[in-house]
Each structure stands twice: as structure tokens, then as C-alpha cells.
Amino acid sequence: MREINDYEIAIIGAGHAGCEAALACARLGFKTIVFTVSVEGIAFMPCNPHVGGSSKGHLVRELDALGGEMGKCIDKSFIQSKMLNSSKGPAVHSLRAQADKAKYSSLMRETLEAQENLAIKQAEVSEILVENGEIRGVKIFSGITYHTEAVIICTGVYLKARCLCGEAINHTGPNGMQASDHLSASLLKAGIELIRFKTGTPARIDADTIDFSKMEPQYGDEKVIPFSFSTDPKDVQREQLPCYLTYTNQKTHDIIRANLDRSPLFAGVIEGTGPRYCPSIEDKVVKFAEKERHQVFLEPQGLNTNEWYVDGMSSSMPEDVQIEMYRSVPGLEHAHIVRNAYAIEYDCIKGKSLKPTLEFKNISGLFSAGQFNGSSGYEEAAAQGLIAGINACMKLKGKEPVVIERSEGYIGVLIDDLVTKDSLEPYRMMTSRAEYRLLLRQDNADRRLMRKGYYAGLISEEQMKALEEKERLIDSEIERLSSVKVGAGKEIADILTSIGSTPLNTGATLEELVRRPELSYEKIAPLDKNRPELPDNIIEQINIEIKYKGYIEREKLAVEKARKMEKKLIPEDIDYNDVKGIRIEARQKFIEFRPVSLGQAARIQGVSPADISVLSVYINSK
Amino acid sequence: MKTDTIAAIATAIGPSGIGIIRISGSDAFSLISKIFKNGKNENVDLAKYDSHTLHYGYIYDKDTVIDEVLVSIMKAPKSYTTEDTVEINTHGGSFVIKRVLDTVIKTGVRPAEPGEFSKRAFLNGRMDLSEAQAVMDLISSRNEFARKNSLKNLKGSIKNKIFELREKLLHECAFIEAALDDPEHYSLDGYPDELKGKIGEVRREIQSLINGFNNGRILNEGIKCSIVGRPNVGKSSIFNFIAGEERAIVTDIPGTTRDVIETSVYYKGLSLIFTDTAGIRDTSDTVEKIGVQRSVRSLEEADLIMLVFDNSDELTDEDIEMIKVVESKEKNVIGILNKSDLSAVLTEETIKERTDIDVISVSAKEGKGFDELFEKIYGIFFKGDLTYNDEVLITNARQAGLLADAHKSLELVLNSIELGMSEDFFTRDIMDAYKALGEIVGCDIGDDLADKIFSDFCMGK
């Protein structure tokens, strides 16, 4: 059989993880090939039609700061955009944009096609080639071998995929696409443990059969903020489509309850573990039996399609039950289902098989990203894809890998959680998982991560210069505010009263005034005649840094404290059986997870502070 | 490198001549300087003393003297841990040592983990490698021992209470987080006001647990018996008889005792700490006034109040006033009818007309009636076996410290609510409180919050 030696890195899969990985590798100068079972499936959105949302919006901005593509692509293809939680603290502001699905996919495909060093190949990868614990390449179903120095697995939900819609079970990937049935055996042979996860998607309904007048419209923001730091805000002010809100009712729930025996989920047909955060409607009705109604969100799938996505009602019920169930919802009485809801099961790995670089612990040069790693969501996948891509390149270049710390980004939290925690269900990002979330804001993702992107080589000199200039302006303006004082005179008092604040008893700096809850940098303008002209994004940083200073300082202190532990590395060849004095449970966990640092070791569940003390003494005595 | 500052009792606990509390870390000097005054009762900066010197003075909790002490100063790197170290030599007896340790911890020093001094000594290169294994063994065995003791030490009811409080905190956090995660589904309108009430309630319960710990300490650290009464009923005579020495000045002039004096007595394994107080009355004498204020405080801290009456005098308005004050404290009270050696003017019956307090007649002058008094006190407090064990005490200090941490975190939540901060600012401090409570009962957080969000709130598509 033919052997091909033209490529240095192979990517298996061209979903959101695969696209980012492929682009990163090619952009960093490596000859890259990306395999997909269907070229039509590149950057496909098989489930919800939006990008971002609480905490996921953070991921996209971080990805952008590191040199990823998702933010740029959604900025060009969204049809509605909204900053969630805008009335809350800055840490939980999060962007969410409804995508024109077809446009998003085609834009991403064009980007891949236009990328130098990058080849697309429609083929099912059936084997990975491993020799002496090192990756050598892949073999595709036709029998041709591609020899590469690194391989990144981004197979999403395609491995041994099985779709369930009541009694109807198809061995396909999402949306009827070809599943990838052959690779699993090769992975097992290479010593990679596989588990089975499950997820699901709701029906798509023909807009002509939806009565939107019975639902509440939900509009996007009047002033849209782009995802990408490189997108000009002027370019994202466009006409938007509304979404619509409606609710299930007792009738819906009765239909579901009456047919539970036909649900693969409750009949025990489904083997995979599903995520608790996006339960099917039958799950919700059973688990939250006391709730009289559940929210249903109708979302457009694009400008050139009539299909609408029914958020809140994913299901694996048989088709006839689905028709009845959806039609019981106000506004959907005459709904025509274009595509049925279904559940999908797939093979994936336990995150503990990976290092924080997303390289396999037991196979050098083999990386993986996305749902295959046990996560869920487009954004989580894309973020991992980028990191896996970067680190494959760093490895081939002999450079230090890029690992984002938990205190530096949601991407760090995501990957650390994946590789440190037990994989019990598909992992979704949430802001509550980030212990330093006030530092990890979507507004400062560039300040947190762009330097790492620059180190990796995905951020240009110009972008770095712009960042440095931005930071200089922020710092010097805060400095100025803290040095300019205003007095307690009548003139000042009148101005303060007029802008809704209270007069001063003694003098105060402008910084102190900005800190007052009722005031802001913008509001004190009448008191500050000599201020420079500054763009909105810089004023935003100034306001946040001044107003939340106390909280931010506290988090920074906590980070400092934790960092000491993160920096204490555990030798890779440590023999835990030689460490006397740790409890058996902790010893087993250490052997299972092989943490890289004391910090990571301490986060493993079932490990006590005393175990960590003993371990640190042991390491220091070596 | 900056290290946090830790403290622990370095000597075995129990009846002993002296006790040593060791404090080690970057802030050891500055923090202990806050509570130490020299022999002239002046504030001093311990950092200014030479290394390896010994200093006489007092440990203060605010303006109350806790103990007369000797403090030794060891500057980095010439100490056991190689860090700045202070050792406070206190009087013996678990109660005094414990009070000093509590005072040290209040300055912000953290109670040491089991074996932590040895660990630091090792990590800072103070011990050679051959000793590493010994240190590890020490940490793990002491840890295991402390854990067992701390669990045993926690009564079921306290444990359940802590689990209940944690559950409440977690539920509120989960609600906030569910709403932040899915803002179009869960609304937080008006929630801060509701949360304020709930957090306030949990905080009060934690406070009562802290108070409870103080009660629980009785068995280990002694029963504080405060001798009170109107002036010149013979409080100091009673105290002196118990102490067996003339520590309090006894005269016929009312208002002689101008400060609170303590003595401890062991009775059938129980440690009784008696405090003699100034008579509580209106006074214009400034010095005596301070004494009276201290008496009132001594009442607040007492486990048992001994209210003294004069057998040889009528029941005065001041006596009746004292009965009211004492009853208002809702504590254990024993009435003592002193001077039974003189002819009776006031009888037990007359007192009984005014109050339900049990009364025992004694004569401090002749030493009569005290066996009965001790037996009475013993009967009130004796519950089960009394054991002295340093590990139990250390874990207690940790537990009380953790409760205080939780209390403080919840105060930060209330502050944030007051300031009108948005809800996402509350979670962190609530979770800190949750974590502190968890450490008391030996739980780590893990994925509790995420689990709770999913179990209590219906999330997602």
C-alpha cells in the first residue's frame, strides 16, 4: 500500500476542535493534513445554533487572544448577539451570538482551504500508528498510510456513534453523517482506555408551521460587541433576528410520562453517561416533577433556512411521541418537524490519560482535543483544539509547551479539570468552576493571554504592540486619576450632586470618586476637564480596575498563594509506592492521575492536605 | 520568601508548671507584638529585640491581661523552622495556655497543621535528608490521630448542624450560579435582600456554635467560676480560702478588690477556675470603676456564677439588684451565704423568697461548707470521662478557628450585599465559608457546587 510522507502533523476530524488545531499547526509552519469523514461536515454545528453564552463566551474571547479562529468566524456570521448578565458584575458578562450555521461552516471551510500548509482530506482514519510509545502517523480506511510526527485526535462524537430516536437506532454520527467505526479498536490496542458518553439534540421545526405570535420575542443587543479583539466594532452592527420564548405545560409532561417506557433513556437502552446540564425534556420532567412548566427557546438556524432549533426540548423519544410532545407547546400546535430530536452515544477517553498539554501520557506526539476528551460544546472543543495544535507544534519545535494556568484563563480551568477530575459526564464550562473568575473576565482576555499567543507564534508583532499601547494607556490613566485631587468646595459639591452623588467632606482623588458605586469614569467627566480622549474598551478597563480593586486584590493574593504549589513539579518517574506515609486512597489516586505538580495533586478528589505535605517532603528529599 | 505564620502549643497539655506556644513565620514578630506588652506594660516591637533573647511581659487580649509570660525571640534562620519564631512561655494548666493560643490566633496567625513545624524545618533545610522519612511519618501519624480525635470530638449534633449549615450555603450559591449561567431562565431580582436574611441566620448559628465550643471546652479546660456579690460580703475571703493563699487583698473596706484575680483548683479531675471580682456597685473611684467593668465582663465569660450573700446582714437593695443581674445572664448560678460563723440575720429562706437559686451556707473564715460547695459544682458539670489530650485541644483550636473563618466570610458577603455589589460577588465568600465548615467535618469541596446546581436547578437545553 502507498505511504505518504508529505505531512508533519495529522488532525483526525474537522469539527470545531479539528479546525482550530489544523489552522494553528499550519500557521505555525507545519505541513498539516486534516481528515474528515465528510468535507461538508467541516465546522458543522450539529446541535445548538449559537456560539458563546455564560462562560463559553469567555472561552471564545480567550481563544481569540491566543490566535484562534472561532471569534473571527462568528463575528462574520452571527444573526443575533447579546451580552448576557450585563447588569451583573463584569466577571459574569458573557457574549452569546446566534450563528447562521451554514455561513459559519462555509466561512471556516474557506479559511481552512485558503490556509497555506494545510490540506483537507475526506477519509475515515482507521488506525493510529504507534512505535515504542511514539506516534508515527495514521492509516485511513482505504489502506493508505500517512507518516507524521504528531497526530491530534478530534473525533468529537463520531467514534462508534449510535443515534437513538425511540426504538429507531442508527449507527451514524450526528445528523445522519457517517460514523467512525474503526478507530476505536486501534486506540484500545495502543493502550488508550475508552468510555462511552451520551448527548442529545432537540428537533428542528419548519418556521412556516410555527405561530410566533404566541411566543415572546427575545432581541439581541442594540450595540453589539464583537467576539474577536481584531474585529472592528463597526463591522458587527447589523440587522438581527429575534429568538422566541415559550413554555411546556402539564399536557406536554403528561405525554412524556405516558410514554416513558418507550424512551431509550429510561428503558435502559442508552449505555452512555449523559450530561446533567443539558438533560433531555424527559429527564427534566422526571427529575423535576414538581415543575409545572419548562422554558423553551426557539432559535433561528440561519438566514437561508426555514429550520428553527427548539432549545429546551432535546429528546430521544420515538418520532410519534415527539410530534405529540412538541405540538402541545403554545405556538407549536401545527409544528412540522424537519429533523427529529435524537440522543447520540460515542466513544471518548478519560481526561486523566492526558497531560495538561493535551498530549497522551503514554504516547509521545499523540494529542487530542474536544468531545473526544470528554468535554461538550463547540467552544470547549475549539479551545482544546487550539491548545493541542499549539503544543504539538511546540513539541516539534523543541519549545516549552503552552499551559494556561487556572488563574490565567477559563481554558486553563477547562483543561485542568478535564485532566485532573474523574470523567463522570461530558464536561461543560461554567463560571462557577473558575475560582478566580473576577480576574478571568471576558473583557481582559487579551491582557491575560495574548502574550502566550505571541510566544506560540499565532499573534503578530503589531497585535502585541497594540496590546502594550492599550495597557500603557490604562495604567497611565489610572495613575493620573489617583494623583488628581478635587476639593470640598461648593462648585465641586454642586457638580457631585448634579451627577447623583453626595458632596465631599474633605478632598478626594478622582480615583476615589470613580470607586463610588453611583459614579463611574464617564460620570465624573464634569470634574475632570483635562482628561485625555480614550476609546470605550480602555474606559471599561479603568472602571473595572478601580471599582473592584479590593476584590481583585484578594483574588490576586489567593493566586499567589496557590502558585507556589503549582510551581512545585513532581518528577515524572516518581514511584508512589516508595512514598511512605500517604494514605492508600491518595496513593491510588496519584498512581491513577500522575499529577504534574503539587497543585494539581492537591486538586485530585480524595487527597488530603497531609498527603500533600508528605508528598512535598518526599519530593524535596530526592 | 514570605510564609504564612502558624502557631501551636509546643508542650504537653495537662497540669504542668509552664506551657510553651510556638509561633513561626514571616509575620511572627509583628503579629505577636500586637498582643505583648513588656514588664512596664508598654507596647514593644519584638522585631527590635536581639535574636535568642528572653523577655518578661504580659499577653493582652484587647485590654485584658491573659497571662504573665516570658517571650523568647529567635530570628531567621536561627530557629527550629529557620523562620522568625516567637515562643511564649505561659503559666501551666491547659486553660491558660489555650487562652493565650486563642489570643495569638485572633491576631491572624493560623493554627498549625499536625507536624507542620517539622515539615517547615525540613523544607527549609533545617534537617538532613535521613530525617525526611521521620518527618513524613510524623505528619501522617499525627494527622491520622488528629483526624480521629477531631471526629470523635465532634458530637453528632454539632456535626449535623454543620452539615445543615453547609447545605444551606451551598443551595444559595447554586441558585446564584444557576441564574448566572442561565440568566434568561432564573431571575435574581430582589434576591440580595432575601439572601441577606438567610446569610444572617447562618451566621448567627455559627456564632452559637462558636459559643458552644467554648462550653465544650469546659471539660478540657476548666470551669470558669465567677465569684460575685455586692461589696464586702466576703468574696475575697472565699476566693482566698479556695486558693489557699492570700492572693486577694481582704479588708473591711468595701471596694478593696479592684481587679479580677484567678486561681485554679482541681477537684475530682475537674479543673475549676475561680475568679474573684470587684463588688459590682456604682463607684466614683476610677480605678475601682475599671475593676467593676472587668467584673461585669467576668460574668459574661463565666460558666458558673457564685453569688455571695452576707449571713450577718439584711438582704439589701444591692443584693436584690445583684440577683436580677445574675438571673439575666441565664447561666448556672449557686448562691453562697457566707459568714455562717456569725449569727444569722439573713437566712436561706429569705433569699429563696426572691429567687430560685440554690443556696449553700459557708464560712470562709472557718473553712466550713466548702466540700458541699465543690460537690455541688461537680454535680452541675460532671459529664462522662474527663481526659486530657493535646491533640484534642489542637484540633479544637482549629475547629474554632475555622468557625471564626466561616463567620468572617459571611460577614464579607453581608458587606458585599450592603455595598450593592452584584450577586456574582457573593459566591466566592459563601464558598469560603462552606469550605471552612467542610474542613471541620473533614470534607473537601470537590465538585459540590456544580453537583448542587444540577441537582437543585433545572439547567440547559
Side-chain angles (χ1 to χ4, degrees):
Chain A
M1 253 315 171
R2 199 184 172 94
E3 299 195 358
I4 294 174
N5 295 306
D6 299 343
Y7 303 99
E8 291 159 294
I9 302 176
I11 319 286
I12 310 175
H16 304 285
C19 286
E20 296 290 350
L23 287 171
C25 295
R27 285 168 178 169
L28 292 178
F30 290 94
K31 297 268 178 222
T32 306
I33 183 162
V34 57
F35 296 95
T36 171
V37 288
S38 162
V39 172
E40 277 69 40
I42 292 176
F44 181 56
M45 299 173 117
C47 194
N48 58 292
H50 57 254
V51 166
S54 185
S55 80
K56 290 162 166 263
H58 290 71
L59 286 174
V60 179
R61 298 209 109 208
E62 292 181 359
L63 184 69
D64 190 73
L66 288 165
E69 195 62 29
M70 184 174 245
K72 296 179 182 71
C73 196
I74 184 65
D75 280 344
K76 290 183 200 133
S77 58
F78 75 86
I79 51 178
Q80 187 200 91
S81 179
K82 197 170 179 177
M83 184 66 84
L84 299 176
N85 286 326
S86 55
S87 66
K88 307 294 178 219
V92 293
H93 294 186
S94 225
L95 261 183
R96 184 191 62 201
Q98 301 297 330
D100 182 319
K101 280 184 168 186
K103 191 170 179 190
Y104 183 94
S105 296
S106 65
L107 279 174
M108 189 62 90
R109 178 172 158 187
E110 284 165 28
T111 308
L112 260 61
E113 286 171 344
Q115 180 61 48
E116 207 186 330
N117 293 331
L118 182 59
I120 298 167
K121 175 75 187 171
Q122 178 165 307
E124 183 194 342
V125 171
S126 54
E127 278 178 48
I128 54 165
L129 309 175
V130 182
E131 273 173 39
N132 303 323
E134 279 184 37
I135 197 77
R136 292 281 181 248
V138 299
K139 192 179 202 178
I140 59 174
F141 190 60
S142 65
I144 292 182
T145 298
Y146 288 78
H147 290 295
T148 60
E149 293 167 53
V151 170
I152 306 174
I153 305 176
C154 305
T155 52
V157 298
Y158 283 74
L159 282 191
K160 284 204 167 163
R162 188 169 80 132
C163 289
L164 303 97
C165 176
E167 300 86 354
I169 296 172
N170 287 309
H171 290 262
T172 69
N175 198 39
M177 300 240 216
Q178 185 193 324
S180 182
D181 284 332
H182 302 89
L183 187 58
S184 291
S186 164
L187 296 176
L188 288 170
K189 209 175 132 202
I192 295 169
E193 190 185 350
L194 295 176
I195 53 173
R196 210 138 165 88
F197 274 174
K198 167 243 156 189
T199 187
T201 195
R204 311 298 192 272
I205 291 178
D206 183 347
D208 292 342
T209 64
I210 302 174
D211 183 353
F212 290 112
S213 68
K214 289 186 177 165
M215 307 178 180
E216 300 164 35
Q218 308 277 313
Y219 299 101
D221 289 341
E222 276 182 25
K223 187 182 169 196
V224 172
I225 293 167
F227 268 107
S228 173
F229 290 98
S230 58
T231 300
D232 186 336
K234 285 200 289 287
D235 295 342
V236 292
Q237 313 306 325
R238 68 182 72 129
E239 211 179 311
Q240 302 178 44
L241 291 188
C243 297
Y244 290 89
L245 179 64
T246 181
Y247 297 92
T248 62
N249 50 42
Q250 277 309 324
K251 192 180 164 199
T252 322
H253 302 179
D254 288 344
I255 295 166
I256 292 166
R257 284 195 195 98
N259 288 286
L260 277 182
D261 57 329
R262 295 181 62 201
S263 151
L265 191 62
F266 291 97
V269 180
I270 286 182
E271 309 155 357
T273 315
R276 291 168 297 172
Y277 47 80
C278 58
S280 58
I281 186 69
E282 50 266 33
D283 248 345
K284 294 189 202 179
V285 169
V286 170
K287 203 171 142 206
F288 296 94
E290 74 289 352
K291 281 199 94 170
E292 286 169 11
R293 62 178 199 176
H294 290 278
Q295 190 170 277
V296 179
F297 216 60
L298 274 285
E299 302 177 31
Q301 295 222 109
L303 294 176
N304 302 312
T305 171
N306 244 356
E307 285 183 71
W308 281 61
Y309 176 89
V310 192
D311 186 303
M313 288 185 79
S314 91
S315 179
S316 57
M317 283 289 192
E319 187 172 3
D320 57 309
V321 181
Q322 286 191 22
I323 295 170
E324 230 188 309
M325 177 179 99
Y326 284 112
R327 287 188 174 175
S328 69
V329 174
L332 298 180
E333 292 87 351
H334 306 288
H336 167 67
I337 297 177
V338 181
R339 303 179 207 217
N340 288 333
Y342 61 88
I344 182 166
E345 285 187 321
Y346 54 96
D347 284 352
C348 60
I349 57 162
K350 289 185 175 175
K352 69 179 182 198
S353 312
L354 301 170
K355 299 178 187 174
T357 56
L358 298 181
E359 185 178 22
F360 275 83
K361 286 175 181 165
N362 62 344
I363 302 171
S364 173
L366 180 64
F367 293 78
S368 68
Q371 271 169 303
F372 176 73
N373 286 353
S375 66
S376 89
Y378 311 144
E379 304 82 359
E380 288 87 340
Q384 292 169 66
L386 181 73
I387 296 296
I390 288 175
N391 283 330
C393 298
M394 294 302 108
K395 181 165 179 119
L396 299 191
K397 286 184 180 197
K399 281 178 76 177
E400 281 294 306
V402 171
V403 173
I404 317 276
E405 288 177 32
R406 294 182 74 89
S407 56
E408 291 175 325
Y410 276 79
I411 296 180
V413 176
L414 163 72
I415 294 176
D416 184 65
D417 279 350
L418 279 174
V419 304
T420 308
K421 292 187 170 167
D422 290 311
S423 311
L424 302 172
E425 65 179 333
Y427 179 95
R428 200 203 87 174
M429 200 67 246
M430 296 196 295
T431 67
S432 58
R433 299 196 197 265
E435 58 273 53
Y436 310 116
R437 75 175 167 198
L438 194 51
L439 303 179
L440 310 186
R441 306 184 308 271
Q442 57 91 31
D443 61 75
N444 68 357
D446 54 342
R447 301 177 68 189
R448 291 186 277 118
L449 295 173
M450 215 170 244
R451 283 179 180 82
K452 292 215 168 183
Y454 179 69
Y455 163 81
L458 291 171
I459 292 294
S460 69
E461 205 75 50
E462 291 74 31
Q463 285 171 295
M464 269 312 289
K465 287 226 173 81
L467 174 70
E468 278 162 10
E469 175 59 9
K470 180 179 173 182
E471 297 197 317
R472 193 189 62 76
L473 285 173
I474 296 165
D475 293 346
S476 69
E477 184 60 357
I478 291 178
E479 176 69 36
R480 189 186 70 82
L481 292 170
S482 68
S483 61
V484 177
K485 279 201 166 163
V486 292
K490 184 171 183 314
E491 193 193 344
I492 303 286
D494 287 348
I495 296 176
L496 279 171
T497 312
S498 75
I499 54 178
S501 192
T502 47
L504 293 162
N505 292 326
T506 57
T509 64
L510 292 175
E511 184 192 9
E512 283 162 344
L513 289 178
V514 172
R515 190 165 295 131
R516 288 187 168 191
E518 70 277 12
L519 296 180
S520 65
Y521 182 78
E522 295 93 322
K523 278 194 181 160
I524 63 158
L527 291 168
D528 185 20
K529 300 266 169 18
N530 300 319
R531 60 168 54 175
E533 188 90 22
L534 293 171
D536 287 354
N537 62 350
I538 286 178
I539 292 174
E540 182 187 28
Q541 294 300 304
I542 291 167
N543 270 324
I544 293 171
E545 288 208 5
I546 292 178
K547 283 189 166 298
Y548 304 109
K549 193 177 176 188
Y551 292 88
I552 290 173
E553 293 299 319
R554 271 177 63 203
E555 293 217 338
K556 283 187 175 163
L557 272 179
V559 170
E560 267 323 301
K561 242 184 131 179
R563 190 161 284 162
K564 272 189 224 159
M565 296 272 283
E566 300 301 328
K567 283 195 173 149
K568 278 251 167 88
L569 298 182
I570 301 172
E572 281 199 33
D573 60 351
I574 187 170
D575 177 2
Y576 286 103
N577 290 313
D578 188 39
V579 191
K580 303 283 181 298
I582 26 180
R583 292 164 315 121
I584 295 166
E585 184 192 1
R587 187 191 313 279
Q588 284 167 345
K589 291 278 186 177
F590 288 149
I591 291 170
E592 191 183 338
F593 281 87
R594 301 204 70 81
V596 291
S597 67
L598 279 185
Q600 197 194 353
R603 284 192 295 278
I604 296 172
Q605 222 150 16
V607 170
S608 78
D611 297 321
I612 296 299
S613 285
V614 172
L615 189 56
S616 88
V617 170
Y618 178 85
I619 291 167
N620 278 279
S621 69
K622 287 290 142 183
Chain B
M1 192 168 74
K2 203 167 153 56
T3 53
D4 54 348
T5 303
I6 55 171
I9 298 170
T11 43
I13 306 290
S16 67
I18 63 159
I20 296 175
I21 290 164
R22 179 180 289 153
I23 301 108
S24 172
S26 303
D27 296 326
F29 297 147
S30 62
L31 292 175
I32 302 307
S33 293
K34 289 186 193 169
I35 54 166
F36 176 75
K37 287 188 185 175
N38 67 12
K40 295 174 196 155
N41 263 312
E42 299 159 343
N43 287 310
V44 288
D45 179 1
L46 294 178
K48 294 209 169 119
Y49 289 136
D50 289 335
S51 187
H52 293 78
T53 54
L54 198 60
H55 305 276
Y56 171 78
Y58 304 93
I59 293 295
Y60 273 78
D61 182 3
K62 296 200 185 93
D63 49 4
T64 309
V65 179
I66 303 299
D67 198 18
E68 187 184 15
V69 297
L70 284 173
V71 164
S72 47
I73 303 294
M74 281 150 281
K75 294 190 176 177
K78 291 188 171 179
S79 72
Y80 177 61
T81 55
T82 79
E83 300 165 348
D84 282 344
T85 299
V86 178
E87 286 183 359
I88 304 175
N89 296 255
T90 70
H91 284 99
S94 52
F95 177 72
V96 174
I97 301 174
K98 187 58 183 42
R99 290 262 330 249
V100 175
L101 179 62
D102 285 347
T103 310
V104 167
I105 285 166
K106 272 196 220 161
T107 66
V109 174
R110 172 168 71 73
E113 305 278 347
E116 198 169 4
F117 287 98
S118 303
K119 180 187 155 193
R120 287 189 175 196
F122 174 76
L123 291 182
N124 295 334
R126 180 72 170 66
M127 296 179 187
D128 67 42
L129 293 182
S130 64
E131 286 168 291
Q133 189 57 50
V135 174
M136 287 190 276
D137 287 345
L138 181 76
I139 296 169
S140 52
S141 67
R142 283 176 70 103
N143 178 62
E144 193 59 15
F145 191 57
R147 189 186 62 81
K148 273 186 194 150
N149 274 303
S150 89
L151 289 180
K152 190 173 71 190
N153 210 34
L154 269 185
K155 287 197 199 115
S157 56
I158 293 176
K159 214 152 123 185
N160 291 341
K161 178 50 98 185
I162 287 175
F163 279 121
E164 182 192 315
L165 295 178
R166 289 182 91 219
E167 185 65 21
K168 281 185 189 166
L169 294 178
L170 192 62
H171 179 82
E172 298 310 320
C173 269
F175 175 66
I176 293 172
E177 293 303 321
L180 293 173
D181 197 69
D182 197 355
E184 286 149 327
H185 196 163
Y186 292 103
S187 166
L188 288 167
D189 291 348
Y191 174 73
D193 275 343
E194 196 186 311
L195 183 69
K196 200 161 123 186
K198 289 176 173 169
I199 294 293
E201 192 190 313
V202 172
R203 205 161 156 262
R204 276 189 293 281
E205 298 212 46
I206 290 175
Q207 183 58 55
S208 72
L209 278 179
I210 294 173
N211 299 343
F213 262 110
N214 290 335
N215 291 337
R217 289 204 307 230
I218 284 170
L219 292 177
N220 283 323
E221 292 139 33
I223 299 160
K224 297 177 92 180
C225 309
S226 183
I227 306 173
V228 301
R230 71 170 161 90
N232 219 24
V233 288
K235 295 184 295 293
S236 295
S237 307
I238 292 174
F239 179 85
N240 284 343
F241 178 80
I242 292 169
E245 56 176 327
E246 294 250 328
R247 276 183 68 179
I249 306 155
V250 186
T251 69
D252 292 335
I253 311 159
T256 318
T257 306
R258 293 180 168 186
D259 206 339
V260 177
I261 300 172
E262 283 188 1
T263 189
S264 42
V265 170
Y266 286 92
Y267 183 76
K268 290 189 181 176
L270 259 187
S271 171
L272 306 176
I273 297 133
F274 291 91
T275 55
D276 183 19
T277 64
I280 296 174
R281 61 166 195 169
D282 281 336
T283 175
S284 51
D285 182 311
T286 322
V287 179
E288 196 192 331
K289 218 174 208 169
I290 296 169
V292 171
Q293 282 168 9
R294 290 190 182 160
S295 302
V296 173
R297 196 176 314 128
S298 145
L299 269 188
E300 301 297 337
E301 291 174 2
D303 302 311
L304 172 71
I305 299 170
M306 296 163 58
L307 177 56
V308 184
F309 300 96
D310 185 347
N311 172 62
S312 65
D313 198 356
E314 297 286 348
L315 195 68
T316 67
D317 287 350
E318 280 179 310
D319 284 322
I320 293 165
E321 190 55 36
M322 281 307 302
I323 291 174
K324 283 185 192 156
V325 170
V326 164
E327 284 183 333
S328 72
K329 302 295 174 199
E330 296 182 348
K331 295 194 175 197
N332 294 307
V333 183
I334 299 178
I336 297 177
L337 193 51
N338 189 24
K339 307 188 188 175
S340 63
D341 47 297
L342 301 178
S343 55
V345 179
L346 178 63
T347 62
E348 288 183 25
E349 286 67 35
T350 319
I351 298 172
K352 292 265 180 193
E353 285 166 19
R354 298 279 180 175
T355 173
D356 296 336
I357 298 170
D358 282 347
V359 179
I360 290 171
S361 289
V362 303
S363 164
K365 197 174 172 190
E366 296 177 356
K368 282 183 185 159
F370 283 88
D371 287 346
E372 198 188 342
L373 174 63
F374 280 119
E375 200 50 41
K376 179 90 194 163
I377 298 172
Y378 186 81
I380 291 173
F381 289 98
F382 181 76
K383 288 163 192 136
D385 290 333
L386 296 178
T387 52
Y388 288 93
N389 178 317
D390 59 340
E391 292 289 350
V392 171
L393 276 181
I394 290 164
T395 45
N396 268 347
R398 269 180 61 72
Q399 288 162 353
L402 288 164
L403 281 172
D405 287 350
H407 196 260
K408 204 169 155 192
S409 295
L410 294 184
E411 190 183 327
L412 291 175
V413 179
L414 294 177
N415 285 346
S416 296
I417 298 176
E418 279 308 316
L419 284 171
M421 302 302 291
S422 88
E423 295 80 356
D424 48 302
F425 286 91
F426 308 160
T427 320
R428 187 189 169 112
D429 292 318
I430 301 179
M431 287 310 286
D432 278 351
Y434 179 80
K435 192 174 165 190
L437 293 179
E439 278 182 48
I440 297 174
V441 287
C443 302
D444 53 9
I445 297 191
D447 275 337
D448 288 2
L449 182 55
D451 290 345
K452 190 74 180 166
I453 294 172
F454 299 136
S455 72
D456 287 11
F457 302 97
C458 184
M459 302 293 293
K461 62 187 178 187

